[in-house]
Amino acid sequence: MELSIVGWPWKRVALGIGIILIVALVIVISPVIYGTVVAGGAAVSLQGHLRGAVADAGVRDFSLAETKLAAAEQDLGAIRGGLRAMGNWREAPYLGSRLKALEQVERSGSSAVSGFREVLSVVADIQQAVDAAGTVSGVNIDQSRSYKDLTREEKRALFENLAAALPRLRLAREKISIAADAWARVPQDELFAPIRNAIVPIADQLPALDTSMGQALSLLEWLVPLSGFPDEKTYLVLLQNADELRPTGGFIGNIGLVTVDAGDIKSIEFEDVYALDNLVANTWKDTPPAVMTRELGISAWFLRDSNWSPDYPQSAARLIDVYQRETQQGRNINVTLDGVIALQPEFFRRILRMTGPLTVEDQTFTADDFFDQLQFETQVGFHQEGRPTEQRKDIVKKLGDVLITTLLSLPANQWPSLLNVATVSLEQGDMLVYAKDPSVQEILDRRSWSGRTIGTDEDYLWVIDANLAALKTDGVMDKRVFYSVDFTDPEGPVATVRLRYTNTNRVFDWRYTRYRSYTRVYVPEGSELLSWSGSSKNPDVFRELGKQVFGGFWVIEPGAIAEMVFRYRLPPRIASLVEGEKYRFIGQKQPGAERTLTLDLRFGKNVLRATPPEDSADFGDDRYHYEGAWGKTESFEITF
């Protein structure tokens, strides 16, 4: 029998084949359909839960916020399940790269939510600590209560809970940091919109939260132990006058002894530094640095001049030693110090901007004029009023007493502002802290809050002025620092530091005179001085604090402009930075100093990127130019 295909129902056959293919296609892509539906639905739910948690936390409903974050983690689990259901499609071209991007989003989202839960938990613990401290006296600590209202037991309970929260705060910070790094690696253009829209609102906050968490953690890590918890602490507090600039920020005019016990100020007493120095004036044998003997005509090195090293921990160690010996010899009192805290006038200006004006003996002090008034009262006013010299700084103590009372009276809702003042002051060198406890000091060093010399193999500059018998003339000096390097010199890079200082005051008076400064320039170790100008004597050349140092003394008359210039060859390791892909430069700021910094760096190869960036007019050549206020330690990175 012959097989004939004439008359077969070809339309039915084609339809059947088509149905089979469609079913096969559906079976093949069903994991993608299912996974997309599950992940997309979970993403919508995730977005709602995250927004709700943020809103609840904003009104301090931590319990409800915690519930919504827990639900958000379940949503992320559902997204994870949806992605896994897509199976081998993760290896497919185009679609696979997007699925892998989604997996990265899910991982970073999980870390972010987990970190936020830890943060929320810590915040809730702190709130409970405040409430728990309040129950000691039977009165809840609300936002209207002040620190002075708390009993000693309440303060101890508060610091105990803060100390207990630190480990969890560290864990939260680590999770948030991991999430921020993971999110930065996610290819944003390859994300499905529902999941991207769910994660973006929280992911965009990660870098700022990571930074603020780092600052808050560092602040609490040293603030809790420095506040005398769990053991009582005693500190020497220095009030440094930046208008009479010295290496760590200013001349030490007033000193204070403060004892704290779990945040409770047990005692506080300030005095004129001369009141202590004068007790041992006839017996003190410490030999001062040679330049002090030469320019100040002194033969003994007292407490008031002991902040000679620009490395604050080094100066603080000497200050502790001298204070303890002077107190023992002059008053027959043995004092054990746990650290030294130095404060600049700008720190108090920030405080007064927050508290508002203060009134002492019918005088009103504002953030803008308090320092000028104190300068006048302690230099001229006391004499006009017929008060003896030993009482000339009584106004400083009285103003300090009023300020401390005002700060302790601030309501709880202003405590974060006070901590922010401390953080900003630490960042800009207007508050320096040294602790004998190595674990606390390590935290301060890590955040560059200790005034320690920065150890680095990169290019580096630190300019240190020391006012020697120039009254308060630093307050009227316009100081400009120019740093240039020519990396094209075949014998090795040549750097030039040019200091241009202007004495803007034009007359001699009780406050201002000719400017007299011993200025040291700290540069990379191994640098070779080639030439110099501007110093009244041959410059000092020595090594100190792991740096090469060039030092010179100069005098600038009222109304005059002067320059001091050091030209030197940088060591080969700095040249190798430019031979590679990146050059880095650190400009360390002297505490209390107000200067501008200008960089002019010629590399001999095109600059691709720079941080901070140049002005657009300077793009596209082999030079890097920068000019700005030297208000804090600055770090520069140039990529070739």
Side-chain angles (χ1 to χ4, degrees):
M1 181 181 67
E2 293 184 4
L3 180 62
S4 175
I5 58 174
V6 177
W8 271 39
W10 288 107
K11 291 183 179 181
R12 291 184 180 181
V13 172
L15 180 61
I17 293 173
I19 292 173
I20 292 172
L21 291 174
I22 290 173
V23 170
L25 180 61
V26 169
I27 292 173
V28 171
I29 68 171
S30 61
V32 177
I33 297 172
Y34 172 78
T36 301
V37 171
V38 171
V44 173
S45 177
L46 172 66
Q47 190 169 12
H49 285 137
L50 290 179
R51 288 176 175 173
V54 171
D56 293 335
V59 295
R60 297 170 55 151
D61 191 339
F62 301 123
S63 177
L64 188 55
E66 163 67 20
T67 299
K68 290 179 180 176
L69 284 178
E73 287 194 329
Q74 292 180 352
D75 294 332
L76 285 163
I79 293 174
R80 189 183 310 118
L83 293 173
R84 287 176 178 171
M86 297 184 188
N88 292 331
W89 281 98
R90 285 177 291 182
E91 305 302 325
Y94 183 75
L95 180 61
S97 64
R98 280 154 177 74
L99 294 180
K100 289 177 181 178
L102 289 176
E103 289 176 339
Q104 282 186 275
V105 171
E106 185 277 323
R107 285 194 294 270
S108 63
S110 295
S111 296
V113 172
S114 178
F116 272 106
R117 288 190 72 181
E118 291 289 345
V119 172
L120 195 64
S121 178
V122 171
V123 172
D125 284 350
I126 293 173
Q127 183 61 44
Q128 290 173 6
V130 174
D131 294 339
T135 61
V136 174
S137 61
V139 180
N140 285 330
I141 302 174
D142 58 32
Q143 294 297 291
S144 64
R145 287 193 71 188
S146 67
Y147 197 75
K148 72 179 180 66
D149 293 333
L150 306 184
T151 66
R152 184 171 181 272
E153 290 75 18
E154 288 176 318
K155 293 170 185 172
R156 177 162 286 275
L158 179 58
F159 276 90
E160 185 174 1
N161 281 275
L162 285 172
L166 278 173
R168 297 176 63 191
L169 191 59
R170 293 188 191 100
L171 177 62
R173 197 279 169 101
E174 288 178 5
K175 289 182 177 179
I176 289 172
S177 182
I178 291 171
D181 290 341
W183 178 253
R185 293 193 298 270
V186 171
Q188 305 285 326
D189 59 337
E190 296 184 359
L191 296 181
F192 288 159
I195 298 180
R196 181 180 64 241
N197 294 338
I199 299 293
V200 163
I202 195 169
D204 285 349
Q205 301 178 43
L206 290 176
L209 183 60
D210 184 37
T211 299
S212 61
M213 282 282 291
Q215 291 178 340
L217 180 59
S218 297
L219 194 64
L220 287 177
E221 282 181 325
W222 69 261
L223 182 61
V224 170
L226 257 69
S227 297
F229 180 87
D231 302 313
E232 178 180 297
K233 297 288 191 298
T234 299
Y235 300 101
L236 177 64
V237 179
L238 316 174
L239 303 186
Q240 299 188 133
N241 187 343
D243 280 359
E244 188 175 351
L245 194 61
R246 287 292 176 87
T248 68
F251 180 76
I252 302 169
N254 291 270
I255 56 174
L257 193 66
V258 180
T259 300
V260 290
D261 180 11
D264 186 47
I265 300 178
K266 293 187 64 176
S267 65
I268 181 169
E269 188 66 37
F270 277 85
E271 63 179 336
D272 187 338
V273 69
Y274 283 93
L276 181 58
D277 283 347
N278 288 344
L279 293 176
V280 297
N282 297 324
T283 59
W284 200 250
K285 303 299 183 182
D286 285 19
T287 302
V291 67
M292 277 190 174
T293 299
R294 185 182 72 222
E295 302 300 339
L296 296 180
I298 60 175
S299 58
W301 194 7
F302 295 98
L303 183 70
R304 61 181 177 268
D305 294 322
S306 290
N307 59 343
W308 184 251
S309 172
D311 183 85
Y312 182 69
Q314 190 172 105
S315 276
R318 172 171 171 80
L319 286 158
I320 288 175
D321 173 59
V322 173
Y323 180 85
Q324 291 177 160
R325 287 190 289 124
E326 284 194 3
T327 303
Q328 199 284 324
Q329 290 184 30
R331 293 173 175 158
N332 198 27
I333 297 174
N334 292 319
V335 178
T336 300
L337 296 174
D338 296 291
V340 187
I341 300 171
L343 304 174
Q344 299 292 121
E346 191 58 38
F347 169 80
F348 294 102
R349 291 190 183 98
R350 293 189 185 100
I351 291 289
L352 288 175
R353 291 187 194 108
M354 185 185 70
T355 65
L358 301 178
T359 300
V360 179
E361 295 182 343
D362 298 326
Q363 283 185 273
T364 299
F365 296 85
T366 70
D368 295 328
D369 66 14
F370 90 97
F371 196 57
D372 291 334
Q373 289 192 63
L374 287 180
Q375 294 270 44
F376 178 80
E377 288 297 327
T378 58
Q379 299 295 323
V380 178
F382 81 97
H383 182 69
Q384 294 178 346
E385 296 168 7
R387 289 184 283 116
T389 301
E390 56 268 21
Q391 294 180 12
R392 70 189 183 97
K393 293 188 177 180
D394 284 357
I395 187 65
V396 178
K397 182 180 183 304
K398 292 175 181 178
L399 179 60
D401 290 342
V402 172
L403 178 59
I404 290 170
T405 299
T406 300
L407 293 177
L408 294 178
S409 301
L410 290 175
N413 59 12
Q414 290 194 44
W415 295 354
S417 298
L418 183 58
L419 290 176
N420 184 63
V421 167
T423 301
V424 172
S425 298
L426 287 164
E427 293 282 354
Q428 299 192 7
D430 298 316
M431 177 180 182
L432 299 172
V433 181
Y434 169 75
K436 289 174 67 176
D437 183 337
S439 62
V440 177
Q441 187 62 36
E442 190 276 331
I443 295 166
L444 295 165
D445 289 340
R446 185 170 7 108
R447 294 294 305 187
S448 298
W449 288 349
S450 67
R452 189 183 294 279
T453 311
I454 296 175
T456 177
D457 288 329
E458 316 290 347
D459 201 0
Y460 174 90
L461 176 65
W462 198 15
V463 178
I464 301 296
D465 289 327
N467 179 319
L468 300 179
L471 300 181
K472 307 300 183 280
T473 310
D474 280 285
V476 292
M477 296 299 296
D478 178 70
K479 300 181 178 182
R480 300 176 183 272
V481 179
F482 301 86
Y483 180 66
S484 61
V485 185
D486 183 0
F487 284 94
T488 65
D489 191 310
E491 296 184 17
V494 175
T496 303
V497 174
R498 180 161 54 94
L499 311 178
R500 180 187 294 166
Y501 286 11
T502 303
N503 189 340
T504 65
N505 189 57
R506 294 184 175 275
V507 297
F508 293 93
D509 59 24
W510 63 270
R511 189 172 180 179
Y512 305 127
T513 182
R514 61 178 55 88
Y515 187 64
R516 295 164 44 87
S517 174
Y518 180 69
T519 298
R520 285 169 280 180
V521 174
Y522 289 72
V523 301
E525 190 171 30
S527 297
E528 176 190 0
L529 184 63
L530 300 176
S531 63
W532 62 274
S533 63
S535 175
S536 61
K537 300 176 178 63
N538 288 336
D540 297 320
V541 180
F542 56 96
R543 293 181 180 179
E544 183 178 72
L545 303 172
K547 311 295 180 187
Q548 185 67 52
V549 187
F550 310 129
F553 184 82
W554 51 339
V555 179
I556 307 173
E557 297 294 329
I561 301 173
E563 289 192 354
M564 183 182 290
V565 181
F566 295 102
R567 182 171 172 270
Y568 54 96
R569 193 176 305 283
L570 288 166
R573 71 174 183 278
I574 305 300
S576 66
L577 296 174
V578 177
E579 293 170 2
E581 295 182 353
K582 288 185 179 179
Y583 161 87
R584 296 182 180 88
F585 168 76
I586 295 175
Q588 186 165 356
K589 177 188 182 272
Q590 178 183 7
E594 293 186 9
R595 304 186 180 103
T596 61
L597 175 64
T598 300
L599 303 184
D600 184 13
L601 311 175
R602 182 184 178 190
F603 297 106
K605 55 195 300 188
N606 281 347
V607 173
L608 297 181
R609 291 185 303 277
T611 305
E614 295 181 283
D615 290 337
S616 57
D618 295 324
F619 288 175
D621 58 19
D622 69 341
R623 303 180 84 110
Y624 173 78
H625 184 269
Y626 167 88
E627 183 175 349
W630 200 353
K632 61 179 181 178
T633 295
E634 301 284 357
S635 180
F636 299 81
E637 182 174 283
I638 289 87
T639 303
F640 309 107

